[in-house]
Amino acid sequence: MTDVEWIEGVRGHLAELEAMGVRHRVAPGEVRVPYEPLSSYGIDLPALVVAFGAGRLPGRLPAGREWLAVDHGEQLVLTVLRPTPQAEEGMRRLRERYAGSGLARPTIDQLADYRDGLRELLGVDCEQGRTTFGEGCCPVRPSDLPVLTDHPFDLPESARVLILDTLGAPQPYEIADREADEHWPCDYDEWIAAAFRHHGVRRGPGAEPFRALRYYGLKSPLLVLCVGYGYLAGSLLPDRDWYAVRHGGDVLVLTVLEPTPEAAEGLARLAADYPKKRFRRRAVSLDDLVAYRDRLRELAGVEVSDGLARLGEGRCPIDLGELPRLTADPLAGAVHGEGWEVFVLV
């Protein structure tokens, strides 16, 4: 995208927000993204809000409310609701319980615990979609809204009920990403291509290096070790076959591992329980994640990885530290740290 295209896009979106009556803090003639923290509008956290994602605005916002353009880890158009005294006290106690927890990338166990806190302190349940949960942004089941506020509100289909708060500081990976962006050495595609050449990663021809498993003659289910392609420049990959793979909407740089006979049986049953189509075109719910964790323990005797978002279409994540229990491959004990992941691909 050129600078001119970006500026025109911002102006177009700003005009859309103004036409819908959304309050923002962009002065006339300025060109910048109109989303700012809720505090810039004089509103304190925690806050109970009804929100739309910036890319999922309805044709018309519900009338009779003030709508604000807010950045709270993601861009939202929201209206603030007044909680009942009981809900306000519950939100305060929820903040005290999870202050400093830094739930930017929560584990499944942390999510289940947080849901228990919602039930205990507020008498409501967490909305199930994993894609809506973030640091200080807790989604509440829409049907529970009357428990939290006396304000009548006809909730549109695409709206979300959120409790916004501050649960932790920016995580180290976010800081590292920003620093890397400031010192990016060349065009991104060129950087990836150079990293692939340096490590001998097998890739597709042309501008699109990531190809389906069948392109390389690989058939699922597979136990694979992946390295995030953003970590390639600082990695020393062992001398073996590595592939640039597109699988289930994700892109991976991976090598295939041979499971032990005992592990192969359990992982085959796991693949049968979680076929690729199971999570196609829908978010993975918290109940799905907990059930997957329990099934992985039962079938393979290992733990799920901490990454909340990694269970998805054709991807069954496993904790990196469990790898030596699944394979006799000498690589299993040689990898650790950020950037590495273990999956069963189905």
Side-chain angles (χ1 to χ4, degrees), residues 253-274:
V253 176
L254 61 85
T255 189
V256 179
L257 304 175
E258 183 70 27
T260 64
E262 297 80 7
E265 182 179 353
L267 296 178
R269 293 174 64 188
L270 184 75
D273 284 355
Y274 289 87

Side-chain angles (χ1 to χ4, degrees), residues 71-93:
D71 187 338
H72 192 82
E74 64 172 308
Q75 294 176 350
L76 302 168
V77 172
L78 60 81
T79 186
V80 181
L81 302 181
R82 185 175 69 244
T84 64
Q86 296 85 354
E88 189 170 19
E89 172 65 12
M91 289 163 60
R92 182 189 64 78
R93 293 175 61 192

Side-chain angles (χ1 to χ4, degrees), residues 184-192:
W184 202 250
C186 61
D187 177 81
Y188 184 74
D189 290 337
E190 294 176 2
W191 181 83
I192 291 296

